[in-house]
Amino acid sequence: MQFKLVCNYKNRAASPEAKFEVKIECYHNRKYRYVGTGVFVEAKYWQDGRLSRKHPQYRVLDALLQNKLNEYKNQALDLERTGKVFDFNALNVLSGRKGKQLFSEYIREELKKEKNLGMDSVVKYRRDADIVADLFPALAVDELEGRHIEQLDAYLQERYSASMAHHLHIFVHKYAKRAVRQRLLARDPYDEVELEKFRGETRLTFLTLAEIARLEALDNLPTTIRAIRDRFLYSCWTGLRVSDNLALLKSSLTDTPDGYVVSLHTLKGYGHDLIHPLGLMFDGKPDRIARYWMTAHDGPTLFPKVSTSYIKMALDMLGPMAGIDKHLTFHVARHTCASLLADVSQNPFLIMNILGHSSISTSMIYIHASPEATKKQLRLLDGKWGNAR
């Protein structure tokens, strides 16, 4: 294992007086770990990879840093003389972090437990975990605090687009909440900060009924492209996530006098059971889609199996074909369903039940207060005022 002192600071020219901790960088088997020294120095006094002699306490601090560095080097040599390897487990013991799990490692371990993830999602989530590891290389999962989230936010806002920063906040928050549920973390660090609901949250994109009609009108499509178009439309009418859409089995559909009823346990989110009476939803449009694909192929899933990358390619093609100037994704389909339900019913509990939201506050996002919406609700009460007490 190789060791050296580092002081990673950002925007040195903008904040030369800001202090940053000097850390010991430990390199082994093409991986890095960082151990804090407890010594903080101004950015202007860290030059060419070492403490500047211009620092007013140079002699004292330099001796302290060198002693800490030599402690790790000597420990590694002593262990190697016995024929053993000084690896990261030995490093954790030496640095007093025995039994502590890094937050980035926790995320990677939890990712391994995720089922039914497409290759595109696996690659994306691993990239997200790498970003967390780069920013917090030595942060234990039980040490995550609000100040780290603020540091993360500043890092993301500086380097990524608003939508990407928002996505990464959602990713980190997901595993922070999971760590709380598993009692690895005392409290949700996002409760300690105000980030305007993860700054950069973009406006919800959804399709209008006219845009959906243009998608429905596309004809003479190859079977695989039609299947993806119908998958997307099915999610527009049911709000089904792409993971549940891909895994939807024919055996989950029960034929009733009111049309097919779908009962399934969602793969993502909080695992809510969903009941979709397809014949009663949006004039039975999802029911008609389901009936076609129940007999159109022999596979166990409702729609023919296809990769998520192929779905993305097909949706990128279908949008322009239908004259839709929006980037089509299954998130857009899900937002479309919620928005249509809100427009027709103004009932957040209906939205919550159909989409499987874990909280009514999420469903309320789609309820827009307006004079027309108020009139629509009052019309539903027409003739019922005599029942009021």
Side-chain angles (χ1 to χ4, degrees):
M1 186 176 290
Q2 299 174 359
F3 305 90
K4 71 175 181 179
L5 295 170
V6 297
C7 186
N8 295 322
Y9 53 85
K10 310 296 180 186
N11 298 326
R12 175 179 175 179
S15 55
E17 302 299 328
K19 288 188 176 183
F20 299 86
E21 186 178 17
V22 180
K23 297 182 178 180
I24 299 174
E25 181 185 89
C26 312
Y27 176 79
H28 174 66
N29 196 22
R30 294 185 296 179
K31 293 182 180 180
Y32 293 88
R33 293 289 187 275
Y34 294 84
V35 180
T37 63
V39 176
F40 289 78
V41 298
E42 294 87 342
K44 64 182 179 180
Y45 288 125
W46 191 262
Q47 299 174 354
D48 301 323
R50 63 173 300 162
L51 184 65
S52 170
R53 292 180 177 273
K54 295 180 180 179
H55 193 287
Q57 295 181 299
Y58 168 75
R59 291 183 179 277
V60 174
L61 292 183
D62 185 62
L64 178 61
L65 291 172
Q66 293 302 324
N67 286 338
K68 287 182 176 291
L69 182 63
N70 289 332
E71 180 184 357
Y72 284 87
K73 289 181 177 180
N74 293 335
Q75 183 73 16
L77 287 173
D78 290 342
L79 195 63
E80 289 169 359
R81 287 192 186 103
T82 66
K84 298 180 181 179
V85 176
F86 189 87
D87 56 13
F88 288 130
N89 288 329
L91 176 68
N92 287 340
V93 174
L94 179 60
S95 60
R97 297 172 61 85
K98 185 175 182 180
K100 296 233 177 187
Q101 185 178 27
L102 296 179
F103 183 53
S104 56
E105 291 176 349
Y106 169 75
I107 291 176
R108 291 190 177 107
E109 288 300 317
E110 291 300 306
L111 275 174
K112 293 177 183 178
K113 302 175 186 177
E114 301 278 1
K115 304 297 183 184
N116 301 295
L117 285 181
M119 184 54 65
D120 290 348
S121 296
V122 170
V123 172
K124 179 175 70 175
Y125 295 155
R126 285 177 178 171
R127 175 210 61 197
D128 296 345
D130 289 341
I131 292 173
V132 174
D134 289 342
L135 182 59
F136 301 123
L139 178 65
V141 63
D142 63 345
E143 296 171 345
L144 186 63
E145 298 177 352
R147 60 189 176 89
H148 297 115
I149 303 305
E150 292 176 340
Q151 184 181 349
L152 171 68
D153 186 61
Y155 181 86
L156 297 179
Q157 298 302 326
E158 181 182 346
R159 290 164 178 78
Y160 298 101
S161 65
S163 60
M164 181 64 175
H166 181 254
H167 158 77
L168 285 165
H169 268 305
I170 291 175
F171 177 81
V172 173
H173 194 199
K174 171 184 176 180
Y175 291 100
K177 290 189 293 185
R178 185 174 297 185
V180 172
R181 291 198 300 272
Q182 295 174 357
R183 301 183 183 277
L184 299 175
L185 188 60
R187 64 183 64 85
D188 184 349
Y190 276 87
D191 291 342
E192 304 172 20
V193 295
E194 290 290 339
L195 294 181
E196 302 169 15
K197 186 53 180 176
F198 311 152
R199 291 185 197 115
E201 183 175 14
T202 55
R203 179 175 58 86
L204 299 179
T205 301
F206 55 88
L207 300 188
T208 64
L209 286 174
E211 290 170 328
I212 294 176
R214 293 202 296 271
L215 266 179
E216 292 175 323
L218 295 176
D219 55 11
N220 298 321
L221 295 174
T223 301
T224 52
I225 301 299
R226 175 178 176 172
I228 292 170
R229 188 273 308 269
D230 286 0
R231 276 183 185 277
F232 180 81
L233 289 173
Y234 184 87
S235 284
C236 285
W237 302 128
T238 64
L240 212 59
R241 293 182 177 92
V242 64
S243 56
D244 297 315
N245 188 303
L246 287 168
L248 181 59
L249 299 174
K250 293 177 180 178
S251 59
S252 299
L253 282 71
T254 303
D255 207 353
T256 73
D258 289 326
Y260 278 130
V261 174
V262 179
S263 177
L264 73 156
H265 190 73
T266 60
L267 298 172
K268 282 195 171 183
Y270 289 81
H272 291 290
D273 290 322
L274 295 179
I275 305 296
H276 287 163
L278 301 184
L280 301 178
M281 300 169 67
F282 297 103
D283 295 326
K285 289 188 176 184
D287 186 74
R288 290 192 286 275
I289 293 174
R291 289 188 182 277
Y292 175 84
W293 288 105
M294 280 289 281
T295 58
H297 71 107
D298 297 328
T301 55
L302 179 61
F303 299 101
K305 285 192 173 182
V306 67
S307 68
T308 53
S309 59
Y310 191 83
I311 289 176
K312 181 180 183 301
M313 180 276 294
L315 291 178
D316 287 344
M317 179 176 62
L318 285 166
M321 287 175 64
I324 300 173
D325 188 22
K326 295 172 183 175
H327 180 53
L328 300 187
T329 67
F330 275 82
H331 281 301
V332 170
R334 189 166 165 81
H335 294 326
T336 297
C337 179
S339 297
L340 291 174
L341 288 171
D343 186 52
V344 172
S345 71
Q346 287 289 300
N347 186 342
F349 293 99
L350 179 63
I351 298 171
M352 182 179 182
N353 290 335
I354 295 297
L355 274 74
H357 290 152
S358 61
S359 169
I360 193 66
S361 61
T362 304
S363 306
M364 284 297 298
I365 293 172
Y366 300 94
I367 304 296
H368 307 291
S370 67
E372 191 56 38
T374 301
K375 290 178 183 178
K376 187 174 293 186
Q377 286 293 288
L378 290 173
R379 289 190 189 104
L380 293 175
L381 298 175
D382 190 31
K384 299 179 181 179
W385 295 105
N387 298 327
R389 291 182 181 180

